């Protein structure tokens, strides 16, 4: 249960990072790609440091929580962005659009999992997932007339992805709690039958 709670908080932190990055892109749509790369690199290094400190601080209570892997990955990604910002700047819009699309695909998996569990709110996540994926695909196609406009729409995509990640997390958490309660009730009923 502790591991599950830890994973939830990790997902919340990632959602906050999505919203923060989206906010930067919306607030500074005219900034150059290199400048945005520096901002992303700084956020990644900061987030990586937070995950690593959390891992060291809470060990061994956070075993299998993924903090070490997430922290090291973000830290290395942030350093890579600073070292190779010129090369990465050209790929930045495509990479960000891909992340928005992936966010939608992950939500689609959650909706299918909830459908298989016969949880009634699976359709809510399904609709969110479709909207998220379609928006991401539009960003990948890039029909926009300027980099500034693309950056604004990327920002909106990240904010929406981050906020809907939190909504999906709440729904999935409730579904898992409901599943555990049903399993415990079934186990309790079987034990009563054995006693009789």
């Amino acid at each position: 249960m502790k591991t599950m709670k830890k994973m939830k908080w990790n997902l919340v932190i990632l959602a906050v990072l999505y919203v923060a990055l989206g906010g930067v892109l919306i607030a500074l749509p005219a900034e150059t790609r290199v400048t945005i790369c520096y901002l992303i690199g700084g956020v990644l290094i900061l987030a990586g440091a937070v995950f690593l400190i959390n891992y060291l601080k809470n060990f061994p209570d956070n075993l299998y929580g993924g903090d070490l892997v997430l922290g090291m990955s973000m830290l290395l990604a942030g350093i890579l962005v600073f070292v190779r910002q010129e090369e990465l700047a050209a790929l930045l819009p495509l990479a960000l659009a891909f992340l928005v699309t992936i966010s939608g695909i992950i939500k689609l998996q959650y909706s299918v999992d909830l459908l298989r569990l016969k949880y009634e709110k699976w359709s809510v996540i399904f609709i969110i997932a479709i909207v998220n994926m379609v928006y991401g695909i539009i960003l990948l196609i890039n029909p926009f007339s300027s980099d500034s406009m693309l950056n604004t729409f990327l920002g909106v995509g990240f904010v929406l992805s981050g906020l809907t990640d939190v909504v999906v997390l709440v729904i999935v958490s409730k579904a898992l709690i409901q599943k555990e309660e049903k399993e415990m009730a079934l186990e309790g009923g079987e034990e009563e039958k054995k006693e009789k």
Side-chain angles (χ1 to χ4, degrees):
M1 185 62 78
K2 282 184 179 179
T3 301
M4 188 58 121
K5 285 181 179 177
K6 192 67 196 166
M7 288 174 71
K8 287 179 189 175
W9 277 112
N10 287 349
L11 290 171
V12 168
I13 291 170
L14 290 173
V16 169
L17 288 175
Y18 259 61
V19 173
L21 177 56
V24 168
L25 289 168
I26 293 169
L28 305 170
E31 291 296 319
T32 65
R33 291 178 184 178
V34 173
T35 303
I36 294 170
C37 276
Y38 279 125
L39 290 170
I40 292 171
V43 170
L44 285 170
I45 289 172
L46 180 62
V50 169
F51 277 110
L52 287 175
I53 291 168
N54 196 48
Y55 172 78
L56 296 171
K57 184 179 176 183
N58 296 315
F59 186 85
D61 294 334
N62 60 351
L63 282 174
Y64 311 112
D67 284 350
L68 180 61
V69 174
L70 274 171
M72 288 299 296
S73 298
M74 288 184 169
L75 200 61
L76 290 172
I79 293 169
L80 178 65
V81 169
F82 272 96
V83 173
R84 306 298 293 270
Q85 79 279 358
E86 292 289 346
E87 294 93 328
L88 292 172
L91 298 172
L92 182 65
L94 187 64
L96 295 180
F98 185 70
L99 287 174
V100 173
T101 309
I102 289 296
S103 176
I105 293 171
I106 291 169
K107 292 181 180 79
L108 182 63
Q109 179 193 323
Y110 285 142
S111 72
V112 172
D113 290 342
L114 293 187
L115 175 61
R116 293 177 66 187
L117 290 173
K118 298 179 180 177
Y119 188 69
E120 65 274 9
K121 291 187 178 178
W122 70 270
S123 58
V124 176
I125 300 180
F126 181 78
I127 293 168
I128 291 172
I130 295 300
V131 171
N132 208 151
M133 285 191 298
V134 169
Y135 195 94
I137 290 167
I138 291 170
L139 292 173
L140 285 169
I141 295 169
N142 188 10
F144 309 105
S145 57
S146 67
D147 284 349
S148 179
M149 187 178 292
L150 174 60
N151 287 344
T152 300
F153 276 88
L154 281 167
V156 171
F158 266 81
V159 170
L160 289 176
S161 293
L163 292 176
T164 53
D165 280 348
V166 175
V167 173
V168 169
L169 180 61
V170 170
I171 294 172
V172 171
S173 297
K174 287 182 179 178
L176 290 175
I177 290 169
Q178 194 178 90
K179 180 176 176 286
E180 285 178 8
E181 288 174 349
K182 284 181 181 178
E183 288 176 351
M184 288 175 67
L186 286 171
E187 286 175 6
E190 287 176 3
E191 286 178 5
E192 286 179 8
K193 286 179 182 179
K194 287 179 182 178
E195 289 175 1
K196 290 179 180 178

